[in-house]
Amino acid sequence: MSTASLSEGAKPKKLGLLRKIWRVRQAYFFLIPVFAVLGTFKYGPLVVAVQKSFFDWNGANVDRFVGFANYAKVLHDASFRGSIGHALALTAGALAETLTLPLLAAVLVFHIRRRRLAEWVRVLFIVPLIVPALVVIKIWTWVYASQNGILNSLLELVGLDGWTHAWLGESGTSLWALVLYNFPWIGGIYFLIYLAGLLNIKAELFESGSLDGMGVWQRFRYLELPLIRGQIRLVALLVVIGQLQNFELPLILTGGGPGESSLTPALYLYDRAFTYNEMGYASALGMVLCVGILIVTQAIQKVFKSSETSG
Amino acid sequence: MKIRTNLRTAAHYAVVSVLLLATLFPFYMTLINSWKHRRDLYEHFWGWPTHFYADNYATAARYLLPYMLNSVIVAGGIVLVVLILSSMAAFSFAAYDFPGKGLLYVLVIMMMMIPGFLLLVPQFVLVKGMGLLDSYAGQIFPPAAVGSAMGTMLIREFLAGLPAGLFESAQLDGAGSWRIYSRIALPLAKPILSVVGILTAISGWNNYIWPLVIISDEKLKPVILVLGTISGTIEQGMGLQLAGYAFASLPFLVLFLFATKPFISGLTSGAIKG
């Protein structure tokens, strides 16, 4: 009986849809668990998120339909607008960071001739990725700490006592601290993505390149850079998506403060929902943010596409 | 010419070294200072510990172990659920042709594109309604749902790369579908299962926001939530917290030493597909 459920090779006979479904019923049985869990914990909540963005809702007894009132409020919310500005600054900073030093490191590691050494260096660059993200954030709160922090101690060590700051506690520096977090921004996934791209380039291309007397810069500019375009686009997308959702970092480093000087949209949403119990409003914020992210990522895809055809 | 290449190699290595040192510096500082007594840390901030003060680690371990156990249960539970759900779904998508296959696959994959913060509120309300606040199940299932989407995709792609007709010929030999799944598909998929497992374990261990929102019972908190809150004597101070950070990172560092390859391919495939 199960022989009828062959995927390819079997001749598709004209069968009624129901009969067809019945013949491959095992295929559906295997999908039941995943859809049970996805439906309960993802699709259900998604529907609720969309629906409740039109409600004045505190997650419990207050539950009143208010039409587009939440969305109107989002548009006039100065805190939210401020947080968007911060998210854009963080995104711009992160793009500048991930498109430079991790790429440089990947190219340099890729060209290390001694294989054992190259492997060791690669593993050492990856180690920070194995450390739990929260631990890294905690270590960086220590880097930025005003008392006995690594950065301030370093400044004092080289005689720049006047430059020390309570980096996370001053509104002039808190956003910068978030932008520069994790300097030199290499110990992470982006380095690995670039390296994977470089490793995919065919060896013959490098051989003919060196025969033509290519310099290091020319090799990078005309050979490597074009061939890892896909990786660069991926990194740009991941960075933008990640930064627009950035949440844990400001929550732990600065709490969005002081004041609202380092507030990000996702953190603002969290605050509204869980500090003020404005869950309907938080849902509207989430919808707006979600659509925004979708538009920005589509735009990036477009930019890369058009530059691919024109360049 | 020779000198020029040598100079170039030297510059090459020098830049790599500087970048590597800068990358590892905060971790190095964490490690050396985690062995210091409070006064030692204050007086010899940059240097090696004057004597290795192991008390920091003893206190940190005693304090963190119950939380680590919670993390192991939660991350292990997430891995188990993800592996079961996604291997079954991936097998179905890879081995059968059936009406609605494309749509159902898209419905699974689409979950990866919905940002977590959007679902945070309704998920919280849902889990509260189910009575799963302050429970292991509440910490396991919602993250496992996200993980299953990516897992399904990765495993399906792997199974699709197996020789064509493998599952069909097994069926012709009269094997039932459960048998094909458990005796053929699963053993063959071991490499990708370990990749998905490691990837899921890392993200499960790292979950912060979700347990922060749903767990208030001290006894159920994962270790990530209590970092930086270790109570010790006043003499221990910062060094104790640093020892805690190092201790909480230990499981994956050890695992990484033994399974470097699936780790690296897991991390890259996770980023590339996600």
Side-chain angles (χ1 to χ4, degrees):
Chain A
M1 61 166 211
S2 59
T3 49
S5 57
L6 301 182
S7 54
E8 281 110 327
K11 275 179 213 153
K13 286 178 198 149
K14 284 247 165 193
L15 291 168
L17 185 65
L18 281 177
R19 262 190 84 189
K20 240 189 206 161
I21 291 177
W22 178 248
R23 294 189 113 174
V24 289
R25 58 189 181 281
Q26 307 99 317
Y28 297 100
F29 292 152
F30 278 98
L31 292 177
I32 290 172
V34 82
F35 275 102
V37 172
L38 278 181
T40 313
F41 292 102
K42 293 285 148 181
Y43 279 105
L46 181 61
V47 171
V48 173
V50 176
Q51 179 206 355
K52 292 300 183 187
S53 67
F54 297 99
F55 280 69
D56 182 13
W57 184 46
N58 67 357
N61 53 341
V62 179
D63 195 2
R64 189 168 55 90
F65 181 75
V66 292
F68 283 92
N70 285 331
Y71 288 95
K73 198 172 149 197
V74 171
L75 293 180
H76 297 105
D77 190 331
S79 302
F80 183 63
R81 248 181 293 170
S83 73
I84 297 274
H86 299 153
L88 293 180
L90 285 170
T91 308
L95 278 175
E97 290 160 4
T98 48
L99 296 178
T100 50
L101 288 181
L103 181 56
L104 174 68
V107 171
L108 290 177
V109 170
F110 176 68
H111 285 294
I112 292 179
R113 289 277 170 78
R114 289 189 216 158
R115 282 195 56 191
R116 292 292 296 167
L117 183 67
E119 271 169 32
W120 268 103
V121 173
R122 190 172 62 147
V123 165
L124 284 175
F125 271 124
I126 295 168
V127 163
L129 201 56
I130 312 300
V131 176
L134 241 290
V135 169
V136 180
I137 299 179
K138 285 286 185 187
I139 290 176
W140 276 80
T141 47
W142 178 42
V143 170
Y144 287 133
S146 58
Q147 295 285 319
N148 255 334
I150 294 181
L151 183 54
N152 279 350
S153 304
L154 204 58
L155 289 171
E156 281 160 17
L157 191 72
V158 295
L160 292 170
D161 299 50
W163 290 21
T164 58
H165 282 275
W167 302 99
L168 300 172
E170 294 173 22
S171 51
T173 54
S174 59
L175 191 63
W176 281 104
L178 294 186
V179 171
L180 297 176
Y181 163 77
N182 225 351
F183 172 87
W185 318 295
I186 296 170
I189 197 69
Y190 306 118
F191 165 79
L192 262 182
I193 293 174
Y194 290 134
L195 196 60
L198 291 167
L199 288 168
N200 272 340
I201 299 178
K202 289 200 179 65
E204 302 98 73
L205 286 176
F206 285 107
E207 278 157 27
S208 59
S210 67
L211 284 181
D212 294 345
M214 253 184 176
V216 174
W217 171 250
Q218 285 167 321
R219 184 182 65 197
F220 176 70
R221 176 69 188 79
Y222 297 105
L223 191 93
E224 288 158 349
L225 202 54
L227 286 172
I228 58 164
R229 223 199 174 89
Q231 277 76 19
I232 293 177
R233 176 176 60 189
L234 175 68
V235 167
L237 272 176
L238 289 175
V239 166
V240 169
I241 294 171
Q243 286 301 323
L244 293 179
Q245 302 191 26
N246 200 342
F247 176 30
E248 295 185 359
L249 185 64
L251 177 66
I252 294 157
L253 279 190
T254 64
E260 291 180 347
S261 59
S262 59
L263 189 68
T264 64
L267 182 56
Y268 182 59
L269 181 159
Y270 172 85
D271 262 351
R272 282 290 129 193
F274 294 102
T275 314
Y276 299 95
N277 262 330
E278 295 175 9
M279 300 208 165
Y281 184 51
S283 299
L285 285 171
M287 293 299 296
V288 171
L289 210 47
C290 198
V291 171
I293 291 175
L294 208 67
I295 292 172
V296 173
T297 47
Q298 289 303 315
I300 293 180
Q301 299 268 35
K302 272 258 164 59
V303 168
F304 270 94
K305 275 245 170 65
S306 66
S307 76
E308 258 158 46
T309 46
S310 70
Chain B
M1 191 66 195
K2 185 93 201 293
I3 295 170
R4 254 187 74 182
T5 20
N6 278 345
L7 264 177
R8 212 199 214 161
T9 317
H12 181 177
Y13 286 173
V15 177
V16 172
S17 312
V18 168
L19 292 175
L20 196 56
L21 286 178
T23 302
L24 296 178
F25 185 63
F27 301 99
Y28 167 76
M29 288 301 289
T30 303
L31 276 182
I32 61 165
N33 282 302
S34 68
W35 291 97
K36 288 179 193 168
H37 200 268
R38 200 166 89 114
R39 222 183 39 243
D40 197 14
L41 194 149
Y42 192 72
E43 285 165 3
H44 308 104
F45 189 69
W46 304 106
W48 212 244
T50 44
H51 82 276
F52 282 80
Y53 185 61
D55 259 21
N56 284 343
Y57 277 89
T59 313
R62 217 173 19 246
Y63 183 86
L64 290 180
L65 267 176
Y67 300 106
M68 299 269 272
L69 193 65
N70 287 337
S71 286
V72 170
I73 293 171
V74 170
I78 296 176
V79 169
L80 200 68
V81 173
V82 165
L83 286 182
I84 293 172
L85 296 184
S86 49
S87 67
M88 286 179 73
F91 170 70
S92 169
F93 285 124
Y96 297 96
D97 250 340
F98 50 89
K101 176 167 156 172
L103 176 69
L104 290 173
Y105 187 60
V106 168
L107 280 177
V108 174
I109 297 309
M110 232 175 57
M111 272 298 78
M112 292 192 293
M113 283 180 243
I114 293 168
F117 60 78
L118 179 64
L119 300 184
L120 194 61
V121 171
Q123 262 181 351
F124 169 76
V125 175
L126 172 79
V127 165
K128 191 173 154 195
M130 295 169 97
L132 292 179
L133 289 187
D134 279 323
S135 73
Y136 287 127
Q139 295 187 70
I140 289 173
F141 280 100
V146 196
S148 307
M150 191 196 286
T152 302
M153 187 172 71
L154 292 174
I155 299 171
R156 183 201 176 167
E157 271 175 22
F158 183 89
L159 291 178
L162 294 176
L166 181 74
F167 298 124
E168 284 82 355
S169 51
Q171 281 180 332
L172 286 174
D173 289 343
S177 46
W178 183 258
R179 226 181 130 77
I180 301 175
Y181 163 73
S182 60
R183 295 291 166 82
I184 298 175
L186 280 189
L188 284 173
K190 251 184 208 151
I192 193 72
L193 292 178
S194 66
V195 163
V196 171
I198 284 173
L199 198 63
T200 313
I202 293 179
S203 66
W205 192 272
N206 275 328
N207 276 343
Y208 177 74
I209 301 300
W210 184 241
L212 181 70
V213 167
I214 67 159
I215 302 295
S216 49
D217 184 349
E218 277 298 320
K219 277 188 261 136
L220 292 172
K221 280 185 179 170
V223 67
I224 291 298
L225 280 192
V226 299
L227 288 176
T229 66
I230 309 173
S231 50
T233 63
I234 200 127
E235 279 306 301
Q236 291 175 308
M238 190 67 197
L240 174 62
Q241 308 305 333
L242 298 177
Y245 302 162
F247 189 70
S249 316
L250 215 54
F252 283 103
L253 288 173
V254 171
L255 208 61
F256 179 63
L257 282 182
F258 287 105
T260 314
K261 248 203 186 124
F263 249 93
I264 294 179
S265 55
L267 291 167
T268 26
S269 66
I272 288 169
K273 303 294 158 57

